[in-house]
Amino acid sequence: MAFFTHQITRTLCSSAVRNAAIKHVTVIGGGLMGSGIAQVAAVTGHSVVLVDTSEDILKNSAKNIQGSLKRVVKKKFADKPEAGEEFVQKVMNNISTSTDAASVVQKTDLVVEAIVENLKVKQALFSTLDKVAPAHTIFVSNTSSLPIADIASSTARLDRFGGLHFFNPVPMMKLVEVIKAAGTSQQTFDALLDFTKALGKHPVSSHLIQHCFSLRTLQASLLSGFMNEVCHGSKEDIDVAMKLGAGYPMGPFELLDYVGLDTSKFIIDGWYEKEPENPLFAPSPLLNKLVAEGKLGKKTGEGFYKYK
Ligand code: CAA
Ligand code: NAD
C-alpha cells in the first residue's frame, strides 16, 4: 500500500511540475479532446480548470474523464482496487470546472483551447481572453487544421502563442505536435516542449509539418470514403481490409466516427476552401448527409456505424 501511495504521489505531484513554468492549466472545451487533455494534465500533478459552455456538458466531461481513468486504473492497479480508487479521486481533485473562461484565466499559466474547429469562433475566444489573462500566460490551440498564426492574430501576445496538437484518444496517444508559429518566442516554445514532456507525451517540433498527421489520417480516411461511394464497396470491408491488410488499429470509417464527423467535416471543408482543385478535399455527400442528420459518430451514438 505504501508503495502505491508513494507511486500515486509521485505521479500526481512530481518535482518536475513543482519547478515548471506551467503549473496551472485552463482547458477550454470539455469535449473529446479537452476532457482528455484535462485528464493527462491532472494525472501529472497540474492544477486544471476545465471550461465549457454549460454545467451539463461539464458534468458529462467529468463522467468521461472518470470513465477513462477507471480503464487506466483497471490495469495499473489490477491487484490494488483501493489504491486505484484513491488515484482516481486524487486526479479528480486536481480538476475544477467553470463556465466562465474570463474569470478563471486570471490565475493560469497556460490556456489550451479545444473548442469547435472554426477560425472565427477560436479568434473570438482568444481575443476576449487576451484582455484578461496575465501577461505571462501562454495561449495554445489544439486545432487540427487551422494555421496557428491566423488564430494568434486575434491577440496581442504573438510571442506567447503556439500550438499543441494532441491526438485522440489523448490518454493513450503519445504524440503531441508542438507548433512554433512565426511570432512564437523560443522561450514559449521551450516551455511548451517541457510541458508536453511533463505530461509523459512525446513532442515533435512542428514548423513545416504542422498538421501533417491529421492531414494524412483524414485524407486516407476520406479517400476510402470516396472509393466507397464511387465503387460501391462496403465500409465494413474497407475497414476490415485496412485493419487486417495494412495493420491499422482502426479502419478509416471507424476512425472518422471516433474523431467525430462534425470535426472531420470542419477540417475537410477548411482544406477544400483553400484548395478547391484538390480532389482529395472534394466534399463528401455521404459525410455531409450524416452531419446534417446529427449523426456525428461515436459521441452521438451513430455515424457511419451505430454504437450502443
Ligand atoms: N482512456 C483510457 N484507456 C483507454 C482509452 C481511453 N480513452 N481507450 C483505450 N484505452 C485502453 C484501455 O486500457 C483498453 O482496455 P479496456 O477496453 O479493457 O479498458 C485498451 O486501451 C484497449 O482498448 P480497446 O479494446 O478499446 O481498443 P484498441 O486496442 O483498438 O485501442 C485505440 C484503442 C488506442 C484507440 C486504438 O484503436 C487506436 O490507436 N486507434 C487509432 C487512433 C488514432 O488513429 N488516433 C488519431 C486520430 S487523428 C487525430 O487525433 C488528429 C486530428 O486532429 C483529427
Ligand atoms: P468536441 O465537439 O468533442 O468538443 C468541443 C467542445 O467545445 C464542446 O463541448 C463545446 O460545447 C465546447 N465549446 C464550443 N465553443 C466553446 C466556447 N466558446 N467556449 C467554451 N467551450 C466551447 O470537439 P473535439 O473533438 O474535442 O475537438 C476540439 C478541437 O480539437 C478542434 O479544434 C479539433 O479540430 C481538435 N482536434 C480534434 C481531434 C479529434 O479526434 N476529435 C483530434 C485532434 C485535435
Side-chain angles (χ1 to χ4, degrees):
M1 182 71 185
F3 167 73
F4 280 101
T5 308
H6 178 64
Q7 198 180 37
I8 291 164
T9 314
R10 228 182 29 199
T11 311
L12 290 174
C13 190
S14 65
S15 58
V17 171
R18 271 199 305 274
N19 299 330
I22 295 170
K23 299 183 186 70
H24 187 290
V25 183
T26 299
V27 180
I28 319 250
L32 276 175
M33 298 305 291
S35 300
I37 296 164
Q39 177 179 331
V40 296
V43 164
T44 49
H46 299 84
S47 277
V48 181
V49 185
L50 182 59
V51 178
D52 210 300
T53 51
S54 80
E55 293 294 347
D56 280 350
I57 296 176
L58 288 166
K59 270 189 200 139
N60 199 40
S61 314
K63 199 172 125 213
N64 289 337
I65 293 172
Q66 264 175 319
S68 173
L69 284 170
K70 281 184 182 152
R71 294 174 82 177
V72 173
V73 154
K74 200 172 69 184
K75 296 209 167 79
K76 203 168 169 187
F77 298 94
D79 306 327
K80 306 274 176 192
E82 278 174 20
E85 276 171 35
E86 192 187 337
F87 175 81
V88 173
Q89 202 45 57
K90 285 202 174 187
V91 174
M92 294 311 290
N93 287 347
N94 282 350
I95 305 176
S96 58
T97 59
S98 172
T99 53
D100 182 8
S103 71
V104 296
V105 296
Q106 288 169 17
K107 287 193 221 117
T108 209
D109 303 315
L110 174 71
V111 174
V112 183
E113 168 275 308
I115 66 170
V116 62
E117 184 73 345
N118 177 299
L119 180 61
K120 289 207 163 69
V121 180
K122 288 185 193 288
Q123 284 177 331
L125 172 75
F126 279 120
S127 162
T128 306
L129 298 185
D130 190 36
K131 297 179 182 80
V132 286
H136 81 278
T137 306
I138 296 175
F139 287 181
V140 295
S141 173
N142 181 50
T143 178
S144 300
S145 60
L146 301 166
I148 292 299
D150 290 0
I151 307 174
S153 68
S154 61
T155 72
R157 61 178 80 209
L158 302 188
D159 56 329
R160 284 148 291 146
F161 205 119
L164 283 183
H165 186 209
F166 290 84
F167 287 74
N168 182 20
V170 181
M172 299 297 294
M173 307 303 272
K174 284 277 176 207
L175 182 70
V176 179
E177 286 180 89
V178 183
I179 299 151
K180 190 173 192 282
T184 315
S185 71
Q186 190 60 40
Q187 192 185 348
T188 297
F189 187 63
D190 290 343
L192 293 176
L193 283 176
D194 286 347
F195 173 66
T196 311
K197 287 178 197 156
L199 298 182
K201 299 294 183 194
H202 189 101
V204 284
S205 309
S206 229
H207 304 259
L208 298 173
I209 59 159
Q210 179 182 347
H211 306 130
C212 161
F213 293 96
S214 40
L215 183 80
R216 283 176 47 193
T217 310
L218 287 169
Q219 264 185 351
S221 300
L222 267 200
L223 189 59
S224 303
F226 181 69
M227 278 175 3
N228 187 37
E229 283 166 40
V230 171
C231 309
H232 308 291
S234 92
K235 59 181 182 297
E236 288 84 359
D237 285 348
I238 291 171
D239 278 350
V240 167
M242 293 310 284
K243 284 189 283 189
L244 300 188
Y248 280 32
M250 286 175 173
F253 291 96
E254 289 171 331
L255 186 62
L256 284 166
D257 270 359
Y258 198 69
V259 165
L261 300 189
D262 50 346
T263 302
S264 302
K265 180 171 155 51
F266 278 127
I267 297 169
I268 291 142
D269 286 353
W271 285 331
Y272 178 66
E273 217 178 289
K274 280 197 168 155
E275 288 185 47
E277 68 293 343
N278 188 337
L280 285 178
F281 303 150
S284 156
L286 183 54
L287 179 68
N288 290 346
K289 178 172 175 290
L290 290 169
V291 172
E293 290 169 353
K295 295 173 181 164
L296 306 184
K298 212 168 170 197
K299 63 184 168 187
T300 57
E302 187 171 350
F304 286 106
Y305 294 100
K306 285 190 177 159
Y307 303 86
K308 278 184 225 152

